[in-house]
Amino acid sequence: AQKVTQAQTEISVVEKEDVTLDCVYETRDTTYYLFWYKQPPSGELVFLIRRNSFDEQNEISGRYSWNFQKSTSSFNFTITASQVVDSAVYFCALTYWGKLQFGAGTQVVVTP
Amino acid sequence: SAVISQKPSRDICQRGTSLTIQCQVDSQVTMMFWYRQQPGQSLTLIATANQGSEATYESGFVIDKFPISRPNLTFSTLTVSNMSPEDSSIYLCSVIAGVGDTQYFGPGTRLTVL
């Protein structure tokens, strides 16, 4: 069965600090996708990044970067130089048969 | 990506009544899903809305409680039937669009049952 674990319930930082969100997953599939979504207080779910199981190259996109390590089943996400607008709940998710299994989410609070 | 709209955006309903939520996509999509997010919780998949056939429900969700229609490739409805306060949640539809099984979500319907 698929499982996604986000052990961090809440992270509080001061603006301009970096924030790293942890995600550990379990799956028996050999081909899968991993995602990060952001849910600001307004409630909509915003797609941030996708990584497929065959591509372990870590990338940077603007202030976002991610570290995918298949050997440890981890898919961590970093926000560099955080801003108040980054305050939101961040969800890690794993696909199975086209559906999504979400983690519990991590609340990020960025204060000025 | 895809542009997804939902109606209503929010509603307050009385116990025992039913509410139908609409989901409209700006392009034809094969896969469409309905999720529930209870207060302070993560998202849980209710069902996959299949065009031209009955929806496929996840464990713990039944058609009598959450009937779903999918008349075409751009539209679906979810009905929350015989509501109780425990049904107070955000209901979101999503579609797979673009590459890599990426799901895009509608803005959600915030339901409060009194």
Side-chain angles (χ1 to χ4, degrees), chain B:
Chain B
S1 65
V3 177
I4 306 167
S5 59
Q6 283 185 235
K7 290 182 183 178
S9 59
R10 59 177 64 231
D11 207 340
I12 300 173
C13 300
Q14 295 298 319
R15 179 194 299 263
T17 63
S18 298
L19 176 72
T20 295
I21 302 168
Q22 298 179 5
C23 178
Q24 179 74 53
V25 190
D26 68 340
S27 58
Q28 293 186 340
V29 293
T30 303
M31 303 291 283
M32 185 178 282
F33 306 92
W34 286 97
Y35 289 83
R36 181 178 73 181
Q37 186 178 26
Q38 294 177 299
Q41 303 296 312
S42 185
L43 285 83
T44 301
L45 180 64
I46 298 172
T48 303
N50 301 310
Q51 194 268 327
S53 64
E54 194 172 281
T56 305
Y57 290 84
E58 297 299 305
S59 176
F61 297 96
V62 296
I63 187 171
D64 290 345
K65 176 67 176 176
F66 297 101
I68 289 171
S69 77
R70 178 94 190 267
N72 56 53
L73 293 176
T74 64
F75 185 78
S76 178
T77 67
L78 167 74
T79 298
V80 186
S81 302
N82 189 24
M83 288 184 286
S84 67
E86 292 70 35
D87 294 319
S88 297
S89 299
I90 300 175
Y91 292 86
L92 301 101
C93 68
S94 73
V95 303
I96 290 180
V99 299
D101 277 1
T102 301
Q103 282 193 32
Y104 296 91
F105 286 80
T109 296
R110 195 178 295 268
L111 171 62
T112 301
V113 183
L114 302 177

